[in-house]
């Protein structure tokens, strides 16, 4: 398949097109919610922004203001660089929406980069709630093989025991950070 994240993204999207394109069921009522309404949705490596369309539709239906963002490298660069890009995007969304905090939902490597942003770059001050899913917060034993195959620096970062993982996992969770990891 090659090493392009776009190639893998297209393959994934093709494989799951029917599920991603399924119509949204209409609920009788939306749940009441008071708090931050803006939700930044960030896909990780090999998953493009279209992956989040059903979730964004559901969030919109329930009264949230979803924003989908995917960096051009799809988190194949180092995850510290990814965390810095998340920081810039969060600031951009906060400014454009006129809010001081948002919810952040991130998948795969984006979830690990988002956690780095929250823990080590002060992002916790801009996040009401961080939700990650299929994010290897303690590394992935498959990362070295996948990294050899693709050459993506992000895979070196999520190798168990890598300097990046040691730094991230040694950092304390900021007080008040609401973090949910679904794996």
């Amino acid at each position: 398949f090659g090493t392009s994240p776009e190639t893998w993204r297209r393959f994934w999207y093709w494989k799951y097109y029917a599920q991603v394109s399924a119509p949204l069921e209409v609920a009788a009522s939306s749940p009441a919610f008071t708090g931050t309404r803006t939700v930044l949705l960030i896909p990780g490596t090999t998953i493009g922004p279209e992956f989040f369309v059903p979730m964004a539709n559901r969030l919109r239906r329930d009264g949230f203001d979803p924003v989908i963002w995917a960096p051009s490298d799809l988190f194949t660069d180092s995850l510290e660089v990814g965390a810095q890009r998340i920081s810039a995007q969060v600031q951009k969304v906060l400014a454009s929406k006129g809010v001081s905090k948002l919810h952040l939902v991130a998948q795969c490597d984006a979830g690990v980069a988002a956690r780095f942003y929250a823990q080590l770059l002060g992002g916790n001050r801009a996040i009401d709630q961080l939700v990650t899913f299929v994010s290897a917060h303690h590394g992935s034993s498959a990362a070295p093989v996948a990294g050899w195959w693709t050459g993506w620096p992000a895979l070196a970062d999520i190798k168990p025991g890598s300097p990046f993982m040691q730094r991230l996992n040694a950092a304390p969770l900021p007080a008040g950070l609401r973090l949910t990891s679904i794996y």
Side-chain angles (χ1 to χ4, degrees):
F1 289 104
T3 61
S4 164
E6 281 298 315
T7 300
W8 287 100
R9 184 198 66 78
R10 284 190 299 273
F11 171 74
W12 184 266
Y13 188 62
W14 166 81
K15 183 176 178 186
Y16 293 101
Y17 179 78
Q19 292 161 303
V20 172
S21 305
L24 182 66
E25 294 178 22
V26 177
S29 65
S30 296
F33 180 82
T34 57
T36 302
R37 308 292 308 178
T38 302
V39 182
L40 179 58
L41 304 165
I42 308 174
T45 307
T46 74
I47 302 297
E50 64 276 357
F51 176 83
F52 276 110
V53 169
M55 188 182 298
N57 289 340
R58 172 65 188 261
L59 288 166
R60 199 171 291 108
R61 183 198 77 187
D62 291 345
F64 291 88
D65 182 15
V67 176
I68 301 173
W69 173 73
S72 59
D73 78 313
L74 294 175
F75 291 96
T76 57
D77 281 342
S78 82
L79 294 182
E80 186 166 355
V81 168
Q84 293 165 357
R85 290 178 180 155
I86 289 172
S87 177
Q89 186 63 25
V90 166
Q91 292 309 311
K92 182 178 174 182
V93 171
L94 292 175
S96 73
K97 301 292 181 177
V99 296
S100 61
K101 286 191 168 196
L102 51 70
H103 296 291
L104 203 151
V105 178
Q107 183 264 342
C108 194
D109 288 359
V112 178
R115 187 173 143 226
F116 189 96
Y117 161 63
Q119 282 181 250
L120 295 164
L121 301 181
N124 61 300
R125 294 184 297 273
I127 298 172
D128 188 40
Q129 182 172 354
L130 171 59
V131 177
T132 69
F133 60 101
V134 290
S135 300
H137 290 293
H138 293 284
S140 169
S141 59
V145 173
W148 172 82
W149 180 269
T150 63
W152 299 340
L155 294 169
D157 287 344
I158 62 167
K159 175 184 173 190
S162 72
F164 177 88
M165 293 307 304
Q166 289 180 23
R167 184 172 171 209
L168 177 59
N169 289 323
L173 282 175
L177 175 65
R178 297 187 314 157
L179 170 66
T180 301
S181 176
I182 303 167
Y183 194 78

